Amino acid sequence: MKTTQQLHDLGQRLWLDNITRELLASGTLNRYIGELAVTGLTSNPTIFDKAIGEGDCYDAAIQQKTAAGQSGEALFLELALEDLTEAADLFRPIHDASGGMDGWVSLEVSPLLVNDTAATIAAAKKLYEHAQRPNLFIKIPGTRAGIPAIEEAIFAGVPVNVTLLFSKAHYLAAAEAYLRGIERRVAAGLDPKIASVASVFISRWDVAVKDKVPAALHNQLGIAVAKQTYQAYRELLASPRWQALVSAGAWPQRVLWASTGTKDPDAPETLYIDALAAPDTINTVPEKTLLAFAEHGKVVGELPVDGGDAENVLAEFDKAGVNVEQLAAVLQHEGAQSFANSWHNLLDRIASKSAGL
């Protein structure tokens, strides 16, 4: 049995952290679905920036949309929605067969809205309505301005992938927003089955501290944070508050491990998949990592529900001078800025291609 299928049987879903027009047109994504148990897909501005910048797969569409008078952000969102609706349709049989739990794709609101709650809510509603696909998540960052937007989007019936979460505290804030949104739907007599995932970024922790801690601690911080977050997740699922919503028909907001491609060339390619196996979770992985795991990854156990050695490991980082909560805030800010930079690069690239074509 393939290791990817073993993960699926354990209860963890593998999603692909990539999308390109070539991936769709070549049948590669369809093959990953059939052969590697891939049940969903995520995207972000950096992924689209790379996809549109490499090669000429998007040139004809850019030329056509430019000739029709489209430009800038509107043109990009049309390109993104074309790709993501096609991907959503590929995953639709999985979505239907799982009763709506699996088979999702994700589209991010403009990262330029990161500090604007009202504009984020409006954009989330507009994108979801425009896509006309039940299995499309709208990605909203779990920042200070994003948290109330998440609650309002959930209450409005928009499925949300909460992005840019880096710590247990970030996760709990996102979970609280989801819970409030669902509780308001129940109180209003609305269907409580609005899906959501909470995306916790892993590898960026280890990149951030690599040159600041002893070699013995390399590539341990992200996994320790994940273990701590997973414990909080399992405790929340078991709480009376959550069980009351389950009784009303609500779904769990699953934890999703993001940024799980290994950045350290000295570490195993499959480090974060091997270490983060756990039921009722999702791991969204780059294509290279997916293929490496299918070839030589191992499912050797699952994350401990009690956090395992997380607190001890985090204490070692504290001794080494790493303030985890402060670093989480820095990483979230840097992540938001990185996506904003990719967004600007993306729009510049499209404008350049439009002019050239």
Side-chain angles (χ1 to χ4, degrees):
M1 183 187 295
K2 287 189 175 71
T3 50
T4 51
Q5 185 61 46
Q6 290 177 40
L7 266 190
H8 188 278
D9 293 347
L10 176 70
Q12 183 174 78
R13 298 296 178 255
L14 275 180
W15 290 3
L16 182 67
D17 192 26
N18 190 31
I19 187 166
T20 68
R21 200 148 287 194
E22 183 179 4
L23 191 70
L24 294 164
S26 65
T28 301
L29 179 58
N30 204 31
R31 180 168 60 83
Y32 291 162
I33 294 170
E35 297 179 7
L36 300 182
V38 169
T39 63
L41 176 150
T42 51
S43 70
N44 61 48
T46 303
I47 286 171
F48 273 113
D49 182 33
K50 183 179 179 183
I52 293 172
E54 293 182 350
D56 58 4
C57 286
Y58 292 86
D59 287 4
I62 291 173
Q63 185 176 31
Q64 180 186 26
K65 295 180 193 309
T66 300
Q70 290 184 305
S71 63
E73 188 173 291
L75 193 159
F76 162 65
L77 289 172
E78 285 295 323
L79 291 174
L81 281 169
E82 286 174 358
D83 285 0
L84 287 167
T85 53
E86 183 177 344
D89 292 343
L90 282 177
F91 285 111
R92 185 64 183 271
I94 295 172
H95 185 75
D96 292 343
S98 65
M101 285 295 289
D102 291 324
W104 290 90
V105 303
S106 297
L107 174 65
E108 194 136 359
V109 298
S110 167
L112 306 185
L113 305 177
V114 67
N115 296 316
D116 192 330
T117 301
T120 297
I121 295 166
K125 291 178 180 178
K126 183 178 179 180
L127 287 172
Y128 184 63
E129 182 178 355
H130 186 44
Q132 292 293 299
R133 296 297 188 278
N135 54 332
L136 176 75
F137 275 129
I138 302 301
K139 295 179 82 171
I140 299 176
T143 55
R144 181 172 297 181
I147 291 298
I150 291 159
E151 177 183 342
E152 290 303 323
I154 292 295
F155 178 64
V158 177
V160 175
N161 177 341
V162 184
T163 187
L164 288 179
L165 304 175
F166 284 91
S167 66
K168 171 185 171 181
H170 287 174
Y171 160 69
L172 288 173
E176 175 69 23
Y178 177 68
L179 285 167
R180 288 195 303 265
I182 296 298
E183 286 168 343
R184 287 171 58 193
R185 287 186 67 84
V186 171
L190 300 171
D191 185 358
K193 283 187 170 63
I194 305 300
S196 181
V197 295
S199 296
V200 182
F201 286 50
I202 305 300
S203 67
R204 296 189 188 189
W205 283 101
D206 296 319
V207 173
V209 301
K210 183 178 180 181
D211 297 329
K212 301 175 183 177
V213 298
L217 291 178
H218 286 179
N219 301 312
Q220 292 191 45
L221 183 52
I223 292 169
V225 169
K227 288 179 178 178
Q228 185 187 53
T229 303
Y230 184 66
Q231 179 184 11
Y233 169 56
R234 301 310 309 196
E235 289 173 352
L236 181 62
L237 290 183
S239 69
R241 183 182 181 188
W242 179 250
Q243 289 303 313
L245 291 178
V246 171
S247 298
W251 283 332
Q253 180 195 49
R254 288 177 293 176
V255 165
L256 180 152
W257 308 125
S259 186
T260 53
T262 307
K263 305 296 192 297
D264 184 349
D266 296 326
E269 288 180 289
T270 61
L271 172 68
Y272 299 114
I273 309 187
D274 296 343
L276 301 179
D280 304 313
T281 64
I282 300 156
N283 196 328
T284 184
V285 296
E287 202 168 351
K288 179 182 177 182
T289 308
L290 172 70
L291 296 174
F293 182 72
E295 181 180 336
H296 54 76
K298 296 178 182 178
V299 180
V300 294
E302 60 186 71
L303 287 174
V305 296
D306 63 358
D309 62 354
E311 296 303 326
N312 290 335
V313 173
L314 292 172
E316 290 299 312
F317 279 94
D318 185 65
K319 290 178 184 177
V322 176
N323 185 311
V324 171
E325 287 307 316
Q326 287 182 5
L327 182 55
V330 170
L331 290 174
Q332 188 177 70
H333 175 76
E334 290 179 348
Q337 189 60 54
S338 175
F339 283 163
N341 291 340
S342 292
W343 192 264
H344 287 301
N345 292 340
L346 180 61
L347 297 185
D348 288 345
R349 196 185 301 276
I350 289 173
S352 178
K353 280 186 175 260
S354 295
L357 293 169

